[in-house]
Amino acid sequence: MAIRYPDALAAGTDSEENRMKQFSTLIFFAWVVALVAGCASIGSSNLPPQSDVTGPSVLVESYQLAVGDQLRIDVWKNPELSVAEPVRPDGKIAVPLVGDLEAAGKTPEELSKDITDKLASYIKNPNVTVILTNLAGQEFLSRIRVTGSVAHNMSISYHQGMTILDAVLEAGSVTLYADANDTKLYRRTETGAVTYDIRLKDILENGDMRTNVMLMPGDVITVPERLF
């Protein structure tokens, strides 16, 4: 014989089932929100602007000459005035007919104009080209430094397209006691020094390249040791 429950009891049972369903739905959505927030947190790590990490690009709009840079100065139709000169320690170069000229801190275009203006007193309509043949003066300033808990603390020549992983591998990778996921990238910017968070362990062990950013001249990478 079928058992019939009182209407009030049946209604109470249905109400309880609905509350359980609503509670389960609420828990599910809370879990989804937490998961999305966690993913967003990982994806929005403290990283350089996207324009800095998308790939090789022009690094500076106009290069300023420095001590040690090797120059070739061509004066069109006047080969006797064309010379190859380094920027001396006093920041100057010697140009025939003109004498010493300040070069350090100027762009090749600015130096070319200075030479042209000076030569105009000696030849008609001089056409001067300044070609930078060796950037030795800036090579030291542009080097990448890798310090801390790595096999070899190193100063590495910068190459366009170099990444965090390239520099760390050049330094022999991390040591046994490295706290690699707390690695820091220090960079000089127009507004001052900036620090970025690099999850180096994720890069090396998990192939997670989200923080394997492109380096810029003068960057410093520091890998700390674990605290025991």
Side-chain angles (χ1 to χ4, degrees):
M1 181 179 73
I3 300 174
R4 296 179 58 85
Y5 293 99
D7 292 342
L9 182 58
T13 302
D14 291 341
S15 178
E16 184 67 22
E17 290 178 353
N18 288 335
R19 283 198 295 271
M20 289 299 295
K21 289 180 180 179
Q22 291 173 357
F23 181 73
S24 298
T25 302
L26 182 62
I27 292 296
F28 173 76
F29 279 112
W31 176 80
V32 170
V33 170
L35 180 62
V36 171
C39 292
S41 176
I42 294 174
S44 60
S45 301
N46 177 29
L47 292 175
Q50 189 65 27
S51 60
D52 285 356
V53 301
T54 51
S57 60
V58 176
L59 299 178
V60 292
E61 292 182 1
S62 191
Y63 178 80
Q64 292 183 330
L65 302 173
V67 171
D69 285 347
Q70 187 73 31
L71 308 179
R72 190 173 81 240
I73 301 169
D74 290 332
V75 183
W76 189 55
K77 290 187 176 180
N78 290 272
E80 70 281 1
L81 301 178
S82 299
V83 294
E85 286 282 322
V87 179
R88 303 193 311 248
D90 62 359
K92 297 180 179 181
I93 60 168
V95 180
L97 293 182
V98 173
D100 288 349
L101 275 180
E102 191 72 36
K106 295 181 179 180
T107 66
E109 294 80 9
E110 290 170 340
L111 181 59
S112 174
K113 184 178 184 306
D114 289 348
I115 297 172
T116 299
D117 292 342
K118 295 288 185 180
L119 285 178
S121 301
Y122 303 96
I123 60 177
K124 185 177 180 181
N125 298 325
N127 188 339
V128 178
T129 302
V130 175
I131 301 172
L132 191 58
T133 58
N134 189 346
L135 281 67
Q138 288 291 341
E139 197 275 338
F140 180 78
L141 295 176
S142 67
R143 293 178 75 84
I144 304 297
R145 278 80 178 182
V146 186
T147 66
S149 196
V150 292
H152 307 285
N153 282 244
M154 297 187 69
S155 175
I156 304 167
S157 295
Y158 170 80
H159 300 287
Q160 194 174 44
M162 179 184 287
T163 66
I164 292 283
L165 181 58
D166 294 325
V168 170
L169 292 179
E170 185 83 10
S173 196
V174 299
T175 67
L176 180 63
Y177 303 107
D179 185 7
N181 268 352
D182 197 29
T183 296
K184 303 297 181 185
L185 169 64
Y186 300 97
R187 174 172 294 173
R188 296 190 305 268
T189 69
E190 293 181 355
T191 57
V194 180
T195 303
Y196 299 111
D197 301 322
I198 305 299
R199 298 187 63 82
L200 185 56
K201 181 178 180 180
D202 291 349
I203 296 172
L204 293 170
E205 297 184 7
N206 304 326
D208 185 345
M209 297 295 167
R210 283 177 290 181
T211 63
N212 184 35
V213 301
M214 292 279 186
L215 296 174
M216 300 288 282
D219 279 354
V220 177
I221 303 164
T222 299
V223 183
E225 286 190 351
R226 290 191 305 238
L227 298 177
F228 293 96

